[in-house]
Amino acid sequence: MESVTFGVLTISDTCWREPAKDTSGPVLRQLIVENFANTQVIGNIVPDEKDLIQQELRKWINREELRVILTTGGTGFAPRDVTPEATKQLLEKECPQLSMFITLKSIKQTQYAALSRGLCGIAGNTLILNLPGSEKAVKECFQTIRELLPHAVHLIGDDVSLVRKTHEEVQGSAPKGHICPNKTGTGTDSDRNSPYPMLAVQEVLSIIFNTVQKTTNLNKILLEMKAPVNIPPFRASIKDGYAMKSTGFSGSKRVLGCIAAGDSPNSLPLAEDECYKINTGAPLPLEADCVVQVEDTKLLQLDKNGQECLVDIMLEPQAGLDVRPVGYDLSTNDHIFPALDPSPVVVKSLLASVGNKLVIPNPRVAIVSTGSELLSPRDQLTPGKIFDSNTTMLTELLVYFGYNCMHTSVICDSFEQTKESLLDIFEVVDFVICSGGVSMGDKDFIKSVLEDLQFKIHCGRVNIKPGKPMTFASRNDKYFFGLPGNPVSAFVTFHLFALPAIRFAAGWDRCKCSLSVLNVKLLNDFSLDSRPEFVRASVISKSGELYASVNGNQISSRLQSIVGADVLIHFPARTTDRPLAKAGEVFPASVLRFDFISKYE
Ligand SMILES: Nc1nc2c(c(=O)[nH]1)N[C@H]1C(S)=C(S)[C@@H](COP(=O)(O)OP(=O)(O)OC[C@H]3O[C@@H](n4cnc5c(N)ncnc54)[C@H](O)[C@@H]3O)O[C@H]1N2
Ligand code: MOO
Ligand SMILES: [Mg+2]
């Protein structure tokens, strides 16, 4: 619950006199910290005096960032119990259902809960809850309200993004259903808001990982794989030089011939004053056991054909010198992969090195672009039309990350044609990465087609900029990503959601599926948006420290913002406290490409 402060006020004459006796206050503070990451908690103790209670409450209510006050004590029937009376006068709105809810839950533990008079209500942007004084009661009440608090704070602050964030941060038992943020409606004429809740990025990723099935258990396959051959399969020379017996000495030796890489190992007799000229990687003659590099020799004589026939070996030969024994790099039955590395470059190269015919099955992916306005980049531009950049961009991104695109198509904005095409395409692929047609327009048919095809729409909106209407749906082991049509939205959501899903299906570990994240220092101020924003930026390395410069106008239609985009900076949503990301501040950023530094200064 970033930038939210809780206040815990212990109200008790005894504790005020002897603070060590206050156990409920510290317990509450601890519960808050344990349950809501990144929150601040302040605490104080006041006696059962109405004025003093109100004085402290007012101070806290006036603090903008202090959004929840939990009082403990002074709620009972004793003459000096005045917490509810002190609280009531400060409240702008009472929340009797919340007090009733707490009481109903507490009564299940003890009937004495009926003797607590605690109030709940709102003052300014602060929620105030009167909890009883006993440590046990405080713990029980906290459990009761724990899951309601983020939503309550969000509603009071009218801040959709904050509740998303805080909701995720409720540790352990976050509700499985989604909190419905404001502006979620039925999508009907009388309520034209999107019926899809805006999910947080992490929430969508969890859904994806819990939905997508691995097409192959890459880790298991790779870790269990044993080498069917030795590398090298023969004793190989490490140098260009002369192969000989180490039992011979330095001095002049007759050159019996030349052995090149690819020659089969010779088993001819070899005397101590004889040698073979040999190349790096060539097999040693059976009787030789060392190589002396050409730099440590001198040519003494050529024969009449111009071939070397006598050389001076200038150093003492030693057994094993510059020889790679059989299986030195990898022995038969050794594990081929000493560790997990999902990189297709690594996996395919190592498999090639052992002559393994195994092909690791990758997910079958199709790229689909929707839009009646789309023309192939090869066509002539005509009025009202635009060139289709998404098909090329998404196909190239797939290839860049090591996957094949099995199929591409461009579909016009028609329900029937979209439905028919998707049906056909899903016959041959596991994943469709589609762009366009997922927002609120009457030609945006993707979601209704998915429903018609009995796909489950797991996500219809994400709380990010760009990419809000990103849609993820599945049916059995078929997966659909509806990326928004705006080219930059498609670019960003491909990296954030589609790529991790494909990698996961391909057998990658969850933690490796998303792009790597590093910290960058911002070079210029940037106005934060009401949605968390993923901003294209170039990385500049200044004496080894990484800085980021935002790539111009970030409107989601402007594909130019991906030029020189090394990273996507993760900016949090704007809050009243923090409208700006300031130059010099450090932010996490997802690395978009392997060569991710644009400039060294
Ligand atoms: N009433 C609302 N309208 C819109 C909302 C909203 O919440 N309420 N969301 C906006 C956001 S955010 C985005 S992003 C877009 C997403 O739109 P769609 O996914 O429905 O995509 P289209 O409407 O088909 O196209 C949007 C835009 O992108 C251009 N486009 C589409 N495909 C391609 C392509 N292959 N190559 C190049 N350009 C493409 C298309 O021409 C449109 O200009 O919706 C907002 N609307
Ligand atoms: O989310 Mo849209 O992707 O901002 O333009
Ligand atoms: Mg649209």
Side-chain angles (χ1 to χ4, degrees):
M1 242 199 265
E2 216 173 84
S3 70
V4 172
T5 303
F6 279 69
V8 172
L9 188 61
T10 303
I11 301 170
S12 149
D13 291 333
T14 316
C15 297
W16 186 66
R17 276 191 302 269
E18 288 180 73
K21 290 204 166 155
D22 178 20
T23 54
S24 304
V27 159
L28 262 182
R29 294 206 291 272
Q30 190 182 347
L31 284 169
I32 292 164
V33 173
E34 280 172 4
N35 283 275
F36 304 108
N38 302 323
T39 47
Q40 305 285 320
V41 190
I42 56 170
N44 207 351
I45 306 175
V46 289
D48 293 296
E49 292 288 347
K50 198 168 150 193
D51 289 349
L52 292 176
I53 298 169
Q54 289 187 336
Q55 197 178 316
E56 195 61 21
L57 288 179
R58 267 200 207 96
K59 243 189 336 195
W60 287 0
I61 291 165
N62 289 334
R63 284 176 61 163
E64 180 69 20
E65 82 289 0
L66 204 148
R67 306 287 296 277
V68 184
I69 299 174
L70 302 179
T71 67
T72 164
T75 59
F77 283 28
R80 286 195 51 82
D81 287 337
V82 290
T83 301
E85 287 66 35
T87 306
K88 191 180 173 84
Q89 289 175 343
L90 305 182
L91 296 181
E92 285 151 29
K93 293 174 186 166
E94 278 198 45
C95 307
Q97 270 71 6
L98 196 49
S99 347
M100 196 200 307
F101 180 57
I102 296 171
T103 310
L104 285 175
K105 284 270 188 175
S106 304
I107 272 177
K108 288 189 182 153
Q109 306 294 327
T110 165
Q111 60 182 358
Y112 292 104
L115 303 183
S116 171
R117 303 178 304 113
L119 292 182
C120 298
I122 300 162
N125 70 352
T126 310
L127 176 67
I128 306 178
L129 285 84
N130 295 154
L131 306 183
S134 91
E135 189 185 319
K136 183 169 174 291
V138 154
K139 283 183 186 161
E140 284 162 12
C141 292
F142 185 85
Q143 290 312 323
T144 305
I145 54 169
R146 185 175 80 145
E147 286 180 4
L148 295 177
L149 280 180
H151 203 179
V153 169
H154 142 63
L155 290 169
I156 294 170
D158 200 19
D159 189 339
V160 175
S161 55
L162 182 63
V163 79
R164 282 270 140 248
K165 225 178 204 170
T166 49
H167 184 191
E168 279 169 53
E169 287 164 6
V170 174
Q171 292 161 5
S173 66
K176 291 283 174 281
H178 310 301
I179 292 180
C180 299
N182 287 342
K183 306 274 167 56
T184 299
T186 57
T188 58
D189 277 351
S190 56
D191 176 357
R192 307 178 85 185
N193 292 305
S194 167
Y196 296 96
M198 280 243 262
L199 308 182
V201 171
Q202 285 309 324
E203 206 171 343
V204 177
L205 279 172
S206 301
I207 293 172
I208 289 172
F209 292 136
N210 289 330
T211 307
V212 171
Q213 300 295 314
K214 290 179 186 288
T215 49
T216 172
N217 194 337
L218 189 65
N219 290 351
K220 191 163 181 290
I221 295 177
L222 297 186
L223 282 182
E224 286 176 0
M225 244 180 206
K226 299 217 171 144
V229 292
N230 285 306
I231 303 178
F234 44 81
R235 290 182 308 142
S237 175
I238 294 177
K239 294 283 177 62
D240 297 311
Y242 297 87
M244 63 197 71
K245 283 190 149 131
S246 62
T247 47
F249 296 99
S250 57
S252 65
K253 290 187 198 286
R254 283 190 301 120
V255 182
L256 300 185
C258 293
I259 305 171
D263 290 350
S264 51
N266 89 48
S267 51
L268 301 171
L270 182 68
E272 288 182 342
D273 63 348
E274 290 172 341
C275 66
Y276 281 93
K277 193 167 190 199
I278 192 164
N279 292 335
T280 304
L284 251 71
L286 215 64
E287 295 211 355
D289 66 349
C290 71
V291 170
V292 173
Q293 63 174 4
V294 73
E295 293 89 332
D296 296 324
T297 67
K298 202 189 266 175
L299 178 60
L300 295 179
Q301 202 180 323
L302 293 174
D303 66 14
K304 56 183 187 303
N305 299 321
Q307 299 295 314
E308 295 182 15
C309 61
L310 201 64
V311 285
D312 183 18
I313 305 299
M314 299 189 311
L315 61 80
E316 290 305 324
Q318 280 178 11
L321 179 68
D322 278 339
V323 176
R324 254 181 332 141
V326 173
Y328 182 78
D329 301 338
L330 185 69
S331 286
T332 322
N333 286 329
D334 277 359
H335 288 284
I336 299 177
F337 294 90
L340 283 176
D341 186 333
S343 151
V345 177
V346 172
V347 171
K348 288 181 187 171
S349 313
L350 263 84
L351 291 185
S353 77
V354 294
N356 198 316
K357 309 292 180 295
L358 187 85
V359 176
I360 306 277
N362 264 333
R364 296 167 303 166
V365 187
I367 301 292
V368 174
S369 294
T370 67
S372 300
E373 72 278 33
L374 301 179
L375 287 179
S376 156
R378 285 178 297 277
D379 289 345
Q380 200 56 35
L381 197 59
T382 51
K385 307 289 182 194
I386 60 162
F387 289 122
D388 165 14
S389 53
N390 290 354
T391 306
T392 305
M393 178 179 71
L394 295 169
T395 309
E396 290 302 319
L397 280 172
L398 264 189
V399 173
Y400 184 79
F401 286 104
Y403 299 96
N404 295 326
C405 176
M406 292 252 316
H407 173 97
T408 57
S409 31
V410 181
I411 311 173
C412 66
D413 292 317
S414 135
F415 180 91
E416 281 310 324
Q417 288 192 31
T418 307
K419 181 176 162 186
E420 267 173 41
S421 302
L422 288 187
L423 264 180
D424 288 350
I425 296 167
F426 270 122
E427 287 288 310
V428 288
V429 301
D430 313 305
F431 280 85
V432 169
I433 315 277
C434 181
S435 67
V438 285
S439 193
M440 301 294 285
D442 53 10
K443 298 284 181 191
D444 290 334
F445 291 119
I446 291 298
K447 284 170 165 122
S448 48
V449 166
L450 289 170
E451 272 167 3
D452 200 68
L453 293 177
Q454 273 153 23
F455 270 69
K456 177 165 185 216
I457 300 183
H458 303 279
C459 161
R461 282 195 306 164
V462 192
N463 191 23
I464 48 167
K465 185 183 175 190
K468 183 173 68 169
M470 202 288 299
T471 298
F472 169 58
S474 72
R475 194 182 70 186
N476 301 324
D477 46 6
K478 304 286 180 186
Y479 309 102
F480 182 92
F481 280 90
L483 312 185
N486 277 317
V488 180
S489 312
F491 178 84
V492 169
T493 50
F494 173 88
H495 286 93
L496 292 184
F497 304 112
L499 174 67
I502 294 169
R503 284 178 163 178
F504 188 70
W508 290 41
D509 265 357
R510 212 184 249 224
C511 61
K512 294 281 282 178
C513 290
S514 291
L515 299 175
S516 308
V517 174
L518 47 75
N519 282 336
V520 291
K521 208 175 240 187
L522 200 59
L523 276 172
N524 309 96
D525 288 358
F526 187 83
S527 288
L528 297 176
D529 190 82
S530 59
R531 285 179 265 162
E533 190 166 359
F534 287 79
V535 166
R536 281 74 63 213
S538 300
V539 171
I540 298 149
S541 169
K542 295 179 187 242
S543 317
E545 199 174 358
L546 299 182
Y547 287 78
S549 157
V550 171
N551 288 354
N553 188 334
Q554 295 282 311
I555 187 169
S556 61
S557 50
R558 183 178 166 266
L559 200 50
Q560 270 71 13
S561 71
I562 74 167
V563 177
D566 300 311
V567 291
L568 294 174
I569 308 180
H570 307 193
F571 284 127
R574 181 182 60 231
T575 60
T576 38
D577 292 348
R578 194 187 197 189
L580 266 190
K582 297 210 180 80
E585 285 184 318
V586 173
F587 291 92
S590 294
V591 178
L592 289 169
R593 47 197 192 190
F594 309 131
D595 49 343
F596 67 91
I597 295 179
S598 274
K599 210 165 155 193
Y600 293 87
E601 284 181 351

